[in-house]
Coordinates of all heavy atoms in Angstrom, one line a residue:
G284 N 53.4 -0.6 -81.8 CA 52.3 -0.2 -82.7 C 51.0 0.2 -81.9 O 50.0 0.3 -82.5
S285 N 51.2 0.5 -80.7 CA 50.0 0.9 -79.9 C 49.6 2.4 -80.1 O 50.4 3.1 -80.7 CB 50.3 0.8 -78.4 OG 50.7 -0.5 -78.1
A286 N 48.4 2.8 -79.7 CA 47.9 4.1 -79.9 C 47.8 4.8 -78.5 O 47.5 4.2 -77.5 CB 46.6 4.1 -80.6
A287 N 47.9 6.2 -78.6 CA 47.7 7.0 -77.4 C 46.5 7.9 -77.5 O 46.3 8.5 -78.6 CB 49.0 7.9 -77.2
A288 N 45.7 7.9 -76.5 CA 44.6 8.9 -76.5 C 45.0 10.1 -75.6 O 45.2 10.0 -74.4 CB 43.3 8.2 -75.8
F289 N 45.1 11.2 -76.3 CA 45.5 12.5 -75.8 C 44.2 13.1 -75.2 O 43.2 13.4 -75.9 CB 46.1 13.4 -76.9 CG 46.4 14.8 -76.6 CD1 46.5 15.3 -75.3 CD2 46.5 15.7 -77.7 CE1 46.8 16.7 -75.1 CE2 46.8 17.0 -77.5 CZ 47.0 17.5 -76.2
C290 N 44.2 13.3 -73.8 CA 43.0 13.8 -73.1 C 43.2 15.1 -72.5 O 43.3 15.2 -71.2 CB 42.6 12.8 -72.1 SG 42.3 11.1 -72.8
P291 N 43.3 16.2 -73.2 CA 43.8 17.5 -72.7 C 42.9 18.1 -71.6 O 43.4 18.6 -70.6 CB 43.8 18.4 -73.9 CG 42.9 17.8 -74.9 CD 42.9 16.3 -74.7
S292 N 41.5 18.0 -71.8 CA 40.6 18.6 -70.8 C 40.8 17.9 -69.5 O 41.0 18.6 -68.4 CB 39.2 18.4 -71.3 OG 38.3 18.8 -70.3
S293 N 40.9 16.6 -69.5 CA 41.1 15.9 -68.2 C 42.4 16.2 -67.6 O 42.5 16.4 -66.4 CB 41.0 14.4 -68.6 OG 41.6 13.6 -67.6
N294 N 43.5 16.2 -68.4 CA 44.8 16.5 -67.9 C 44.9 17.8 -67.2 O 45.6 18.0 -66.2 CB 45.9 16.3 -69.0 CG 45.8 14.9 -69.6 OD1 46.3 14.7 -70.7 ND2 45.3 13.9 -68.9
L295 N 44.2 18.8 -67.8 CA 44.2 20.1 -67.2 C 43.4 20.1 -65.9 O 43.8 20.6 -64.9 CB 43.6 21.2 -68.2 CG 44.5 21.4 -69.4 CD1 43.7 22.2 -70.5 CD2 45.8 22.1 -69.1
F296 N 42.2 19.5 -66.0 CA 41.3 19.5 -64.9 C 41.9 18.9 -63.6 O 41.7 19.4 -62.5 CB 39.9 18.8 -65.2 CG 38.9 18.9 -64.2 CD1 38.2 20.0 -63.9 CD2 38.7 17.8 -63.3 CE1 37.2 20.1 -62.9 CE2 37.7 17.8 -62.3 CZ 37.0 19.0 -62.1
L297 N 42.5 17.7 -63.8 CA 43.1 17.0 -62.7 C 44.5 17.4 -62.4 O 45.2 16.9 -61.5 CB 43.0 15.5 -62.9 CG 41.7 14.8 -62.9 CD1 41.8 13.3 -63.1 CD2 41.0 15.0 -61.5
G298 N 45.0 18.4 -63.2 CA 46.4 18.8 -63.0 C 47.4 17.7 -63.2 O 48.4 17.6 -62.5
S299 N 47.1 16.8 -64.1 CA 47.9 15.6 -64.3 C 49.2 15.9 -65.0 O 50.3 15.3 -64.8 CB 47.2 14.6 -65.1 OG 46.0 14.2 -64.4
G300 N 49.2 16.9 -66.0 CA 50.4 17.2 -66.7 C 50.1 17.4 -68.2 O 48.9 17.4 -68.6
L301 N 51.1 17.6 -69.0 CA 50.9 18.0 -70.4 C 51.4 16.9 -71.3 O 52.6 16.6 -71.3 CB 51.7 19.3 -70.7 CG 51.3 20.5 -69.7 CD1 52.3 21.7 -70.0 CD2 49.9 20.9 -69.9
F302 N 50.5 16.4 -72.1 CA 50.9 15.4 -73.1 C 51.9 16.0 -74.2 O 51.7 17.1 -74.6 CB 49.6 14.9 -73.8 CG 49.8 13.9 -74.9 CD1 50.2 12.6 -74.5 CD2 49.7 14.2 -76.2 CE1 50.3 11.6 -75.5 CE2 49.8 13.2 -77.2 CZ 50.2 11.9 -76.8
D303 N 52.9 15.2 -74.5 CA 53.8 15.6 -75.5 C 53.6 15.0 -76.9 O 54.1 13.9 -77.2 CB 55.3 15.3 -75.0 CG 56.3 16.0 -75.9 OD1 56.0 16.4 -77.0 OD2 57.5 16.0 -75.4
I304 N 52.8 15.7 -77.7 CA 52.3 15.1 -78.9 C 53.5 14.8 -79.9 O 53.6 13.8 -80.6 CB 51.2 15.9 -79.6 CG1 50.5 15.1 -80.7 CG2 51.8 17.2 -80.1 CD1 49.2 15.8 -81.2
A305 N 54.5 15.7 -79.8 CA 55.7 15.6 -80.7 C 56.5 14.3 -80.3 O 56.9 13.6 -81.2 CB 56.5 16.8 -80.6
A306 N 56.6 14.1 -79.0 CA 57.4 12.9 -78.6 C 56.6 11.6 -79.0 O 57.3 10.6 -79.5 CB 57.5 12.9 -77.1
A307 N 55.3 11.6 -78.9 CA 54.5 10.5 -79.3 C 54.7 10.2 -80.8 O 55.0 9.1 -81.2 CB 53.0 10.7 -79.0
R308 N 54.5 11.3 -81.6 CA 54.6 11.1 -83.0 C 56.0 10.7 -83.5 O 56.2 9.9 -84.4 CB 54.1 12.4 -83.7 CG 52.6 12.5 -83.7 CD 52.1 13.8 -84.1 NE 50.7 13.8 -84.5 CZ 50.0 14.8 -84.8 NH1 50.6 16.0 -84.7 NH2 48.8 14.7 -85.2
K309 N 57.0 11.3 -82.8 CA 58.4 11.0 -83.2 C 58.7 9.5 -83.0 O 59.4 8.9 -83.8 CB 59.3 11.8 -82.3 CG 60.8 11.7 -82.7 CD 61.6 12.8 -82.0 CE 63.1 12.4 -82.0 NZ 63.6 12.4 -80.7
A310 N 58.0 8.9 -82.0 CA 58.2 7.5 -81.7 C 57.3 6.6 -82.7 O 57.3 5.4 -82.5 CB 57.9 7.2 -80.3
G311 N 56.5 7.3 -83.5 CA 55.6 6.5 -84.4 C 54.3 6.1 -83.8 O 53.7 5.2 -84.3
V312 N 53.9 6.7 -82.7 CA 52.7 6.4 -82.0 C 51.5 7.0 -82.7 O 51.6 8.2 -83.0 CB 52.8 6.8 -80.6 CG1 51.5 6.7 -79.8 CG2 53.9 6.0 -79.8
R313 N 50.4 6.3 -83.0 CA 49.2 6.9 -83.5 C 48.5 7.6 -82.3 O 48.4 7.1 -81.3 CB 48.3 5.8 -84.0 CG 48.8 5.2 -85.4 CD 48.1 3.9 -85.8 NE 48.4 2.9 -84.8 CZ 47.4 2.1 -84.2 NH1 46.2 2.3 -84.5 NH2 47.8 1.2 -83.3
V314 N 48.1 8.8 -82.6 CA 47.5 9.7 -81.6 C 46.1 10.0 -81.9 O 45.7 10.3 -83.1 CB 48.3 11.0 -81.4 CG1 47.7 11.8 -80.3 CG2 49.8 10.7 -81.0
A315 N 45.2 9.9 -80.9 CA 43.8 10.3 -81.1 C 43.4 11.2 -79.9 O 44.2 11.5 -79.0 CB 42.9 9.0 -81.0
L316 N 42.2 11.8 -80.0 CA 41.8 12.7 -78.9 C 40.7 12.0 -78.1 O 39.8 11.3 -78.6 CB 41.1 13.9 -79.5 CG 42.0 15.0 -80.1 CD1 41.2 16.2 -80.6 CD2 43.1 15.5 -79.1
G317 N 40.8 12.2 -76.8 CA 39.8 11.7 -75.9 C 39.3 12.8 -75.0 O 40.0 13.6 -74.5
S318 N 38.0 12.7 -74.7 CA 37.4 13.7 -73.8 C 37.7 13.3 -72.3 O 37.8 14.2 -71.5 CB 35.9 13.8 -74.0 OG 35.3 12.6 -73.5
D319 N 37.8 12.0 -72.1 CA 37.9 11.5 -70.7 C 36.9 12.1 -69.7 O 37.3 12.3 -68.6 CB 39.4 11.7 -70.2 CG 39.6 10.8 -69.0 OD1 39.0 9.8 -68.8 OD2 40.5 11.2 -68.2
V320 N 35.7 12.4 -70.2 CA 34.7 12.7 -69.2 C 34.6 11.5 -68.3 O 34.7 10.4 -68.7 CB 33.3 13.0 -70.0 CG1 32.1 12.8 -69.1 CG2 33.4 14.3 -70.6
G321 N 34.4 11.7 -67.0 CA 34.2 12.9 -66.2 C 35.4 13.6 -65.7 O 35.2 14.6 -65.0
A322 N 36.7 13.2 -65.9 CA 37.8 14.1 -65.5 C 37.9 15.2 -66.6 O 38.2 16.3 -66.2 CB 39.1 13.3 -65.4
G323 N 37.6 14.9 -67.8 CA 37.4 15.9 -68.8 C 36.0 16.5 -68.6 O 35.1 15.9 -68.1
T324 N 35.9 17.7 -69.1 CA 34.7 18.5 -68.7 C 33.7 18.7 -69.9 O 32.7 19.4 -69.7 CB 35.0 19.8 -68.1 OG1 35.9 20.5 -68.9 CG2 35.7 19.6 -66.7
S325 N 33.9 18.1 -71.0 CA 32.9 18.3 -72.1 C 32.9 17.0 -73.0 O 34.0 16.5 -73.3 CB 33.2 19.5 -72.9 OG 32.3 19.6 -74.0
L326 N 31.7 16.6 -73.4 CA 31.6 15.6 -74.4 C 31.7 16.1 -75.9 O 31.6 15.4 -76.8 CB 30.3 14.8 -74.2 CG 30.3 13.9 -73.0 CD1 28.9 13.4 -72.7 CD2 31.2 12.7 -73.1
A327 N 31.7 17.5 -76.0 CA 31.7 18.1 -77.3 C 33.2 18.0 -77.8 O 34.1 18.6 -77.2 CB 31.2 19.5 -77.2
M328 N 33.4 17.4 -78.9 CA 34.8 17.2 -79.4 C 35.5 18.6 -79.7 O 36.7 18.7 -79.6 CB 34.8 16.3 -80.6 CG 36.2 15.9 -81.1 SD 37.3 15.3 -79.8 CE 36.5 13.8 -79.3
L329 N 34.7 19.6 -80.1 CA 35.3 20.9 -80.4 C 35.9 21.5 -79.1 O 37.0 22.1 -79.2 CB 34.3 21.9 -81.0 CG 33.8 21.5 -82.4 CD1 32.6 22.4 -82.8 CD2 34.9 21.7 -83.5
A330 N 35.3 21.2 -78.0 CA 35.9 21.7 -76.7 C 37.2 21.0 -76.4 O 38.2 21.6 -75.9 CB 34.9 21.5 -75.6
T331 N 37.2 19.7 -76.7 CA 38.5 18.9 -76.5 C 39.6 19.4 -77.4 O 40.7 19.5 -77.1 CB 38.2 17.4 -76.7 OG1 37.2 17.0 -75.8 CG2 39.5 16.6 -76.5
M332 N 39.2 19.8 -78.7 CA 40.2 20.3 -79.6 C 40.7 21.6 -79.1 O 42.0 21.9 -79.2 CB 39.5 20.5 -81.0 CG 39.2 19.2 -81.7 SD 37.9 19.2 -82.9 CE 38.7 20.0 -84.2
A333 N 39.9 22.5 -78.5 CA 40.4 23.8 -78.0 C 41.4 23.5 -76.9 O 42.5 24.2 -76.8 CB 39.2 24.6 -77.5
D334 N 41.1 22.6 -76.0 CA 42.0 22.3 -74.9 C 43.3 21.6 -75.5 O 44.4 21.9 -74.9 CB 41.4 21.4 -73.9 CG 40.4 22.1 -73.0 OD1 40.5 23.3 -72.9 OD2 39.5 21.5 -72.4
A335 N 43.2 20.8 -76.5 CA 44.4 20.2 -77.1 C 45.3 21.3 -77.6 O 46.5 21.2 -77.4 CB 44.0 19.3 -78.2
Y336 N 44.7 22.3 -78.2 CA 45.6 23.4 -78.8 C 46.3 24.1 -77.6 O 47.5 24.4 -77.7 CB 44.7 24.4 -79.5 CG 45.5 25.6 -80.0 CD1 46.3 25.4 -81.1 CD2 45.6 26.8 -79.3 CE1 47.2 26.4 -81.6 CE2 46.4 27.8 -79.7 CZ 47.2 27.6 -80.9 OH 48.0 28.7 -81.3
K337 N 45.6 24.3 -76.5 CA 46.2 25.1 -75.4 C 47.3 24.2 -74.7 O 48.3 24.8 -74.4 CB 45.1 25.5 -74.4 CG 44.2 26.5 -75.0 CD 42.9 26.7 -74.1 CE 41.9 27.5 -74.9 NZ 40.6 27.5 -74.2
V338 N 47.1 22.9 -74.6 CA 48.2 22.1 -74.1 C 49.4 22.1 -75.0 O 50.5 22.2 -74.5 CB 47.6 20.6 -73.8 CG1 48.8 19.7 -73.6 CG2 46.7 20.6 -72.7
C339 N 49.1 22.0 -76.3 CA 50.3 22.1 -77.2 C 51.0 23.4 -77.1 O 52.2 23.5 -77.2 CB 49.8 21.8 -78.7 SG 49.3 20.1 -78.9
Q340 N 50.3 24.5 -76.9 CA 50.9 25.8 -76.7 C 51.8 25.7 -75.5 O 53.0 26.2 -75.5 CB 49.8 26.9 -76.4 CG 49.2 27.4 -77.7 CD 50.1 28.2 -78.5 OE1 50.9 27.7 -79.2 NE2 49.9 29.5 -78.4
L341 N 51.3 25.2 -74.4 CA 52.2 25.1 -73.1 C 53.4 24.2 -73.3 O 54.4 24.5 -72.7 CB 51.3 24.6 -72.0 CG 50.3 25.6 -71.4 CD1 49.3 24.9 -70.5 CD2 51.1 26.7 -70.7
K342 N 53.3 23.2 -74.2 CA 54.4 22.3 -74.5 C 55.3 22.9 -75.6 O 56.2 22.2 -76.0 CB 53.9 21.0 -74.9 CG 53.5 20.0 -73.8 CD 54.7 19.7 -72.8 CE 55.3 18.4 -72.9 NZ 56.2 18.1 -71.7
R343 N 54.9 24.0 -76.2 CA 55.6 24.6 -77.3 C 55.6 23.6 -78.5 O 56.6 23.4 -79.1 CB 57.0 25.0 -77.0 CG 57.1 26.0 -75.9 CD 57.0 27.4 -76.5 NE 57.1 28.5 -75.5 CZ 56.0 29.0 -74.9 NH1 54.8 28.6 -75.2 NH2 56.2 30.0 -74.0
R344 N 54.4 23.0 -78.7 CA 54.3 22.1 -79.9 C 53.3 22.7 -80.8 O 52.2 23.2 -80.4 CB 53.7 20.7 -79.5 CG 54.5 20.0 -78.4 CD 55.9 19.8 -78.8 NE 56.7 18.9 -78.0 CZ 58.0 19.0 -77.8 NH1 58.7 19.8 -78.5 NH2 58.6 18.1 -77.0
A345 N 53.6 22.6 -82.1 CA 52.7 23.2 -83.1 C 51.4 22.3 -83.3 O 51.5 21.1 -83.3 CB 53.4 23.3 -84.4
A346 N 50.3 23.0 -83.3 CA 49.0 22.2 -83.7 C 48.1 23.2 -84.4 O 47.7 24.2 -83.9 CB 48.3 21.7 -82.5
D347 N 47.9 23.0 -85.8 CA 47.1 23.9 -86.5 C 45.7 23.4 -86.6 O 45.4 22.3 -86.1 CB 47.7 24.3 -87.8 CG 47.8 23.1 -88.8 OD1 47.1 22.1 -88.5 OD2 48.5 23.2 -89.8
A348 N 44.8 24.1 -87.3 CA 43.4 23.7 -87.3 C 43.2 22.4 -88.0 O 42.4 21.5 -87.6 CB 42.6 24.8 -88.0
F349 N 44.0 22.2 -89.1 CA 43.9 20.9 -89.8 C 44.3 19.7 -88.9 O 43.7 18.7 -88.9 CB 44.7 20.9 -91.1 CG 44.2 21.8 -92.2 CD1 45.0 22.9 -92.7 CD2 42.9 21.7 -92.6 CE1 44.4 23.7 -93.7 CE2 42.4 22.5 -93.6 CZ 43.1 23.5 -94.1
D350 N 45.4 19.9 -88.2 CA 45.8 18.9 -87.3 C 44.7 18.6 -86.3 O 44.5 17.4 -86.0 CB 47.1 19.4 -86.6 CG 47.9 18.2 -86.0 OD1 47.5 17.0 -86.2 OD2 48.9 18.5 -85.4
L351 N 44.1 19.6 -85.7 CA 43.1 19.3 -84.7 C 41.9 18.5 -85.2 O 41.4 17.6 -84.6 CB 42.6 20.7 -84.1 CG 43.7 21.4 -83.3 CD1 43.2 22.9 -83.0 CD2 44.0 20.7 -82.0
F352 N 41.5 18.9 -86.4 CA 40.4 18.2 -87.1 C 40.8 16.8 -87.5 O 40.0 15.9 -87.4 CB 39.7 19.0 -88.2 CG 38.7 20.0 -87.8 CD1 39.0 21.2 -87.3 CD2 37.4 19.6 -87.8 CE1 38.1 22.1 -86.8 CE2 36.4 20.5 -87.4 CZ 36.7 21.8 -86.9
Y353 N 42.0 16.7 -87.9 CA 42.5 15.3 -88.3 C 42.5 14.4 -87.1 O 42.1 13.3 -87.1 CB 43.9 15.5 -88.9 CG 44.6 14.1 -89.1 CD1 44.1 13.2 -90.1 CD2 45.7 13.7 -88.4 CE1 44.7 12.0 -90.3 CE2 46.3 12.5 -88.6 CZ 45.8 11.6 -89.6 OH 46.4 10.4 -89.8
L354 N 43.1 14.9 -85.9 CA 43.1 14.1 -84.7 C 41.7 13.7 -84.3 O 41.6 12.5 -83.8 CB 43.7 15.0 -83.6 CG 45.2 15.2 -83.6 CD1 45.6 16.3 -82.6 CD2 45.9 13.9 -83.2
A355 N 40.7 14.5 -84.5 CA 39.4 14.2 -84.1 C 38.6 13.3 -85.0 O 37.5 12.9 -84.7 CB 38.6 15.5 -83.8
T356 N 39.2 13.1 -86.2 CA 38.5 12.3 -87.2 C 39.3 11.1 -87.7 O 39.3 10.0 -87.0 CB 38.0 13.1 -88.4 OG1 39.2 13.8 -89.0 CG2 37.0 14.2 -88.0
L357 N 40.1 11.2 -88.8 CA 40.8 10.1 -89.3 C 41.8 9.5 -88.4 O 42.0 8.3 -88.3 CB 41.4 10.4 -90.7 CG 42.0 9.3 -91.5 CD1 41.0 8.2 -91.8 CD2 42.6 9.8 -92.8
S358 N 42.5 10.3 -87.7 CA 43.5 9.8 -86.8 C 42.9 9.0 -85.7 O 43.4 8.0 -85.3 CB 44.3 11.0 -86.2 OG 45.5 10.5 -85.6
G359 N 41.8 9.5 -85.2 CA 41.0 8.7 -84.1 C 40.6 7.4 -84.7 O 40.7 6.3 -84.0
A360 N 40.1 7.4 -85.9 CA 39.6 6.1 -86.5 C 40.8 5.1 -86.7 O 40.7 3.9 -86.4 CB 39.0 6.4 -87.9
K361 N 42.0 5.7 -87.1 CA 43.1 4.8 -87.2 C 43.5 4.2 -85.8 O 43.9 3.0 -85.7 CB 44.3 5.6 -87.8 CG 44.2 5.8 -89.3 CD 45.4 6.6 -89.8 CE 45.3 7.1 -91.2 NZ 45.5 6.1 -92.2
A362 N 43.5 5.0 -84.8 CA 43.9 4.6 -83.5 C 43.0 3.4 -83.0 O 43.4 2.5 -82.3 CB 43.8 5.7 -82.5
L363 N 41.7 3.5 -83.4 CA 40.7 2.5 -83.0 C 40.5 1.4 -84.0 O 39.6 0.5 -83.8 CB 39.4 3.2 -82.7 CG 39.1 3.7 -81.3 CD1 40.3 4.6 -80.8 CD2 37.8 4.5 -81.3

Side-chain angles (χ1 to χ4, degrees):
S285 305
F289 172 19
C290 305
S292 170
S293 162
N294 300 156
L295 294 168
F296 183 78
L297 290 178
S299 301
L301 304 173
F302 178 73
D303 189 343
I304 195 168
R308 284 170 160 170
K309 189 166 157 232
V312 171
R313 286 167 295 128
V314 180
L316 284 183
S318 68
D319 195 28
V320 159
T324 52
S325 176
L326 289 167
M328 189 47 69
L329 291 169
T331 301
M332 288 154 78
D334 284 336
Y336 178 77
K337 292 166 192 169
V338 166
C339 289
Q340 282 288 79
L341 285 167
K342 277 302 250 190
R343 298 275 178 268
R344 305 299 190 207
D347 65 15
F349 289 124
D350 199 4
L351 294 169
F352 273 81
Y353 172 69
L354 283 167
T356 57
L357 186 59
S358 193
K361 284 178 188 286
L363 273 47

